[in-house]
Amino acid sequence: MDTDRRDSLRRTVLESLGPEEYDRLVVSVPHARRAGRLRYWQEQSLARVPGGPVRLEDFVAAFEGAPLQQPPAPAPAQAEGETNQADWKKNAPVWVQEDRQLNEAEWLAAPHLIWMVAYLLDEQRDRPGEDRRHILFGCACCRDVWDLIQWDAARRLVELAEDYADGRISEAEFKAGTASALFADLEPHYRGLGGPQQLSARVLHAIRAARGLASDNYRMSHGAYCVAQETSTDAQYEFIPTPQRPMSPKGGFVPPDHEQIQQKVPLLFDIFGNPFRPVALDPAWRTENALALARQMYASREFSAMPVLADALQDAGCDSADILDHCRGPGPHVRGCWVVDLVLGKK
């Protein structure tokens, strides 16, 4: 990045965010690619900068070593052996504080969703089918609030995301679903100028979640978590945007309900299973009956026949407790369910 562009970007960010938040961004540069929640905050802050979102790569290039606007006072003397800990680590899980990855027991204990997504991104990035699973998780989150996605173009984008995940359409066809013409009519709603049909703030959050499925850096920017958050807004803070209280397309005013976010962990388990213990399916268990059941559930998105699938697999000789217990468990099950994927041979 050349000096003029760097200085221009720094000035724009400073004017947009103010000196305090500007300094927070500068200080966070060393951790930009490590902490999932911190990186999400960085991108949300940078997205508010006029002229379009600032890419995280440009942010790192421009702000590494940048002088602070409000230099901190000298830190008090520390006792020998005492160390400072970055603020973002103070409430982080133990494995983050210890600079290691979580282990199997910690994964199964279902920590906060953001840390689970971060693990999948950082340690499972080369696992076959990982991109597909991240997209289908986002689609499942969107379908969980289908009643809030009240824009046909947004619902269509979720359907296109599912088609793209399964290789039925190209990336270009998928991204075409975000064509500005399809979403242009949303802009007045963000400003509270939608008239009698003005959409509510939670509806706008849900539509933005659907649109986020097609973002260029969906996976690497924790897009799955962002979609989970946008589809978990707290109903008690719902409001109808007005010109006096608009909702910016780059920053809404309905806070996420963290209990709702955590309720999406079972969806993650259904799609990703236990990444520490991959399960193989004996081809002999893939009978016509099992295949028919799996195809029907996958196509219809209706998974009440999962216990029947367990019976079919067991009749074929399946003795895997992981597979049978998952089929007979309480669910939920969605497109991307790891057992159905095994039966259908999807990766």
Side-chain angles (χ1 to χ4, degrees):
M1 178 180 291
D2 61 63
T3 303
D4 289 342
R5 184 181 174 206
R6 182 201 67 190
D7 292 345
S8 174
L9 180 56
R10 287 179 179 178
R11 285 194 300 271
T12 303
V13 172
L14 175 60
E15 291 169 2
S16 176
L17 302 182
E20 184 175 346
E21 192 163 358
Y22 174 93
D23 283 353
R24 287 181 65 202
L25 278 174
V26 171
V27 170
S28 72
V29 169
H31 312 290
R33 301 191 182 284
R34 295 192 55 198
R37 187 177 298 179
L38 176 68
R39 184 162 65 181
Y40 175 69
W41 166 76
Q42 288 167 336
E43 292 187 336
Q44 291 298 299
S45 296
L46 293 169
R48 288 160 34 207
V49 175
V54 178
R55 293 187 311 135
L56 192 59
E57 291 78 7
D58 291 338
F59 156 62
V60 173
F63 291 89
E64 192 162 20
L68 298 179
Q69 299 299 306
Q70 301 172 333
Q78 293 178 239
E80 186 175 351
E82 185 180 352
T83 58
N84 281 326
Q85 189 177 47
D87 287 343
W88 67 269
K89 274 191 173 184
K90 290 180 179 177
N91 297 315
V94 63
W95 64 86
V96 177
Q97 297 183 31
E98 295 175 356
D99 288 321
R100 63 174 175 83
Q101 288 295 347
L102 82 169
N103 58 39
E104 182 180 12
E106 290 162 339
W107 169 269
L108 295 175
H112 194 283
L113 184 69
I114 184 61
W115 300 113
M116 301 178 77
V117 171
Y119 170 75
L120 293 169
L121 287 173
D122 294 341
E123 290 298 301
Q124 300 288 314
R125 66 184 64 189
D126 297 324
R127 187 182 179 199
E130 201 68 4
D131 285 335
R132 172 179 173 272
R133 280 187 279 265
H134 277 270
I135 291 173
L136 289 178
F137 173 75
C139 292
C141 292
C142 288
R143 287 191 174 276
D144 202 37
V145 292
W146 203 241
D147 59 316
L148 291 177
I149 303 180
Q150 297 173 10
W151 209 263
D152 289 343
R155 288 191 172 193
R156 177 59 182 152
L157 199 52
V158 177
E159 295 166 351
L160 289 173
E162 293 171 335
D163 288 343
Y164 171 65
D166 281 335
R168 289 192 291 271
I169 61 173
S170 68
E171 182 176 7
E173 290 173 304
F174 172 36
K175 296 295 177 68
T178 63
S180 58
L182 295 174
F183 287 92
D185 290 342
L186 277 176
E187 297 306 316
H189 291 271
Y190 282 123
R191 299 194 298 272
L193 300 173
Q197 304 302 317
Q198 171 67 46
L199 300 176
S200 74
R202 293 183 71 224
V203 167
L204 290 167
H205 274 290
I207 290 173
R208 190 166 61 186
R211 196 173 186 177
L213 293 171
S215 63
D216 290 336
N217 57 348
Y218 171 78
R219 183 178 169 198
M220 295 317 297
S221 66
H222 290 64
Y225 179 73
C226 296
V227 170
Q229 182 166 263
E230 295 279 24
T231 56
S232 301
T233 46
D234 194 330
Q236 68 175 315
Y237 295 103
E238 172 72 301
F239 70 96
I240 304 294
T242 65
Q244 293 73 35
R245 188 189 180 187
M247 174 179 161
S248 163
K250 296 180 179 177
F253 298 112
V254 181
D257 182 333
H258 290 284
E259 188 173 320
Q260 281 189 57
I261 293 175
Q262 205 59 9
Q263 287 170 358
K264 290 179 168 58
V265 168
L267 294 176
L268 204 72
F269 281 146
D270 183 58
I271 293 174
F272 291 90
N274 180 353
F276 293 88
R277 294 178 185 268
V279 178
L281 185 87
D282 188 324
W285 304 341
R286 197 177 282 124
T287 62
E288 284 303 317
N289 188 22
L291 280 168
L293 286 165
R295 286 171 182 149
Q296 186 275 329
M297 288 188 288
Y298 196 90
S300 67
R301 303 186 191 85
E302 208 288 303
F303 291 85
S304 61
M306 287 295 289
V308 183
L309 177 61
D311 294 341
L313 292 170
Q314 195 166 32
D315 289 345
C318 175
D319 57 357
S320 168
D322 289 331
I323 290 176
L324 299 176
D325 290 349
H326 187 74
C327 290
R328 291 169 175 153
H333 299 287
V334 294
R335 275 197 181 176
C337 166
W338 67 267
V339 170
V340 173
D341 274 5
L342 281 177
V343 175
L344 295 178
K346 292 182 177 290
K347 293 183 179 180

